[in-house]
Amino acid sequence: MERFHRLGLVGFAGLALLAAAGALQFILYETVAWTVALAGAGAALAGWAGFALRAELGALTRRRRVEIALRAVAIVGIVVALGYVSVRYPLRHDFTAQRLHSLSDQSVAVLSRLEKPVHIVFFHNHLMGRTMDLYRLVADGSDMVTVEFHDPALNPARARMLNIRFPGTAAMTSEGRRIDVDGDQEADIVNGVLRVSQGATRHVCFLDGHGEADPYSKEGHDHLESTGGHTHGSGIQYVLHETHGMAKARNGLEELNYTAGKVSLLKGGDDPLAGCAVLVVAGPRSPLLAEEVARLRGWLAAGGDALFMLEPGAEAGLGPVLRDYGVAADRAMAIDPSHHFAADPSSPAVSDYNHHKITRDLPLTFFPGARPLSPAARVPGVSVTPVVSSSRNSYGETSTDRPGRDEGADLPGPLTLMVAANKRPPGEGEAAVLARLERTDEAGDGAAAADGHVPTIATAPSRVAVVGDSDFATNSFFHVMGNGNLFLNAVNYLAAQENLIGIEPHTRELPEINFTNRQMKATFFVAVFLAPLLLALVGTAVWWRQR
């Protein structure tokens, strides 16, 4: 027994020396002679003691208590091994109905379309586990994205190398470009990856000065009030807010790596449209001046791209601009008795679209008060494609005095509500044809038609999209169904960013159950009275039978 105790102390001393060597290695973070010497001495003592006590240890392991202890150690070892494997090779599955712990479909689409590698270095502290999970999901979503994590308190050298001062900052690099992202939301992270991958940021200009929708306003859209209740289409009393609100649309553009701002065509000096990737004309309420129209036509002829959103009854003076692209805006309002939003026939709803990049994977959209569009005189070098059309049961109401279908005067359906037009420089012989071209259509968005109208001659390819409504993209309707997608898709198409089409800012909403008054009363009666009564009856019956 004394021999067992002496050799046991030698074995424990060896284990202590091994533990000391490990502690020194952890503290010094380098291998030195003392570490090697302690580890060697500890291994030698522990090995010699174990060899000398092999018979006693073998007999000890055959005892019941030791057997139980060894089994417990084995179980703990298995659990530790499984934990290590799960950390080293993690598997995730989101069981929530709204995929709260997964990337949105829009983010997955952005990541799947990346064309350049992006490396992310995220600096964190112990409270940022959720943000780290988001970065891991982003890295798992694309082979083009890699990520590494560092705690600036534990690895200050790495933080100093990248000039990072605080936890929560990610340094994203791609082909020599770098941006720093401080946000902890999915949209912030994916937007940062997109920005550093693309390299350049495009600027979207919103025309200002004619009562257009304000991209910095959070107000709701203008609407009409009728004596029969609220409607967004035809009515009697016109109620005008101080400004339209398109802040949601602007935020959506900024989350897709655009910048946005307002611009005036009357600004002197340099070209006010210089630097605009896309010009958005969001429902002007007063006509543009002749000087503004001339400047706009010249910018488009030089290769500018624009999105025109018109309003019924508002004369914007854009007739010459639209005629340059073979489009005319009808003096009517689209009415669709069979396919409309809510209870408003003047808000046509569309779910079946013409084949175009703008409408790819687009859900249902609706247009609260829309102006139909028609083809104008054909312009050489211009191709016009209808994008959104109402149903066959729709018609264009031309009279404001006698609402209702008039087969002789109203426009028959289906009506074109949105078109996309491409214009290229004229080829041989087309320039002379353009110079002799005269306007044959007398209608044109409130501008007096000129018989001698000659379309501008393009010097560079350009794109325009024309929508007979602007309310669909305002704050009140941007987030409803596919309206926001349609606006963002149109801008992406005009900016030649088709890889972003179909992507919108990720939003999460809690599920809701809406009851009618009758359903609410029935639910209350069942939950509060009927269910407890049934339980009381069952309990009484059981008690009576046992009694």
Side-chain angles (χ1 to χ4, degrees), residues 385-460:
T385 304
V387 176
V388 179
S389 301
S390 60
S391 71
R392 294 184 177 276
N393 294 328
S394 63
Y395 64 93
E397 178 62 69
T398 58
S399 174
T400 58
D401 298 331
R402 296 179 295 102
R405 187 189 292 266
D406 187 345
E407 298 294 343
D410 293 336
L411 303 177
L415 304 173
T416 300
L417 304 180
M418 181 177 183
V419 300
N422 292 3
K423 190 174 185 179
R424 57 172 176 79
E428 295 182 3
E430 288 182 333
V433 175
L434 286 171
R436 298 192 302 268
L437 188 64
E438 293 184 353
R439 174 71 174 168
T440 58
D441 188 4
E442 296 182 357
D445 194 32
D451 294 337
H453 172 77
V454 178
T456 56
I457 299 178
T459 58

Side-chain angles (χ1 to χ4, degrees), residues 65-246:
R65 291 182 179 179
V66 176
E67 182 181 353
I68 295 175
L70 291 177
R71 289 182 179 178
V73 171
I75 293 174
V76 172
I78 292 173
V79 172
V80 171
L82 289 176
Y84 173 79
V85 172
S86 65
V87 172
R88 187 68 181 271
Y89 307 101
L91 294 176
R92 293 174 56 94
H93 185 77
D94 193 347
F95 289 95
T96 59
Q98 295 195 343
R99 300 177 62 199
L100 299 179
H101 305 289
S102 304
L103 295 180
S104 66
D105 294 336
Q106 294 86 358
S107 297
V108 173
V110 170
L111 296 173
S112 66
R113 297 169 188 170
L114 290 178
E115 299 177 354
K116 299 176 182 178
V118 177
H119 182 66
I120 305 172
V121 183
F122 179 61
F123 292 88
H124 63 92
N125 58 27
H126 65 283
L127 299 176
M128 297 181 178
R130 176 184 172 276
T131 308
M132 294 175 65
D133 289 339
L134 279 176
Y135 277 100
R136 292 189 183 98
L137 289 175
V138 170
D140 293 339
S142 173
D143 295 335
M144 292 289 180
V145 180
T146 56
V147 61
E148 59 179 283
F149 300 98
H150 295 284
D151 188 334
L154 301 178
N155 194 355
R158 182 64 168 156
R160 283 194 296 268
M161 289 175 58
L162 296 177
N163 196 26
I164 301 298
R165 300 178 58 188
F166 304 104
T169 301
M172 300 184 179
T173 56
S174 178
E175 297 187 345
R177 300 180 299 271
R178 171 183 165 178
I179 64 171
D180 293 341
V181 175
D182 296 319
D184 59 354
Q185 301 298 317
E186 177 184 335
D188 300 325
I189 299 171
V190 177
N191 181 35
V193 172
L194 185 63
R195 286 164 52 199
V196 72
S197 175
Q198 291 184 338
T201 300
R202 295 177 176 268
H203 186 64
V204 177
C205 299
F206 287 79
L207 186 63
D208 188 36
H210 315 88
E212 294 91 351
D214 188 352
Y216 293 95
S217 172
K218 296 182 179 179
E219 292 286 344
H221 67 293
D222 291 347
H223 60 270
L224 296 162
E225 298 285 354
S226 65
T227 56
H230 179 79
T231 175
H232 301 99
S234 59
I236 297 178
Q237 182 182 1
Y238 189 75
V239 180
L240 177 65
H241 292 294
E242 183 178 349
T243 56
H244 287 268
M246 287 191 68

Side-chain angles (χ1 to χ4, degrees), residues 530-543:
L530 185 58
L533 180 61
L534 290 177
L535 290 176
L537 292 176
V538 171
T540 303
V542 172
W543 171 78

Side-chain angles (χ1 to χ4, degrees), residues 41-76:
L45 291 176
W48 177 70
F51 180 78
L53 295 175
R54 61 185 183 279
E56 290 83 351
L57 292 176
L60 188 64
T61 56
R62 288 190 289 270
R63 296 182 181 179
R64 181 64 177 170
R65 291 182 179 179
V66 176
E67 182 181 353
I68 295 175
L70 291 177
R71 289 182 179 178
V73 171
I75 293 174
V76 172

Side-chain angles (χ1 to χ4, degrees), residues 240-261:
L240 177 65
H241 292 294
E242 183 178 349
T243 56
H244 287 268
M246 287 191 68
K248 289 184 179 179
R250 176 180 60 83
N251 291 337
L253 291 172
E254 291 176 347
E255 291 191 6
L256 292 181
N257 197 33
Y258 293 96
T259 59

Side-chain angles (χ1 to χ4, degrees), residues 12-25 38-39 42:
F12 281 118
L15 294 177
L17 291 177
L18 286 173
L24 284 175
Q25 179 70 21
L38 289 175

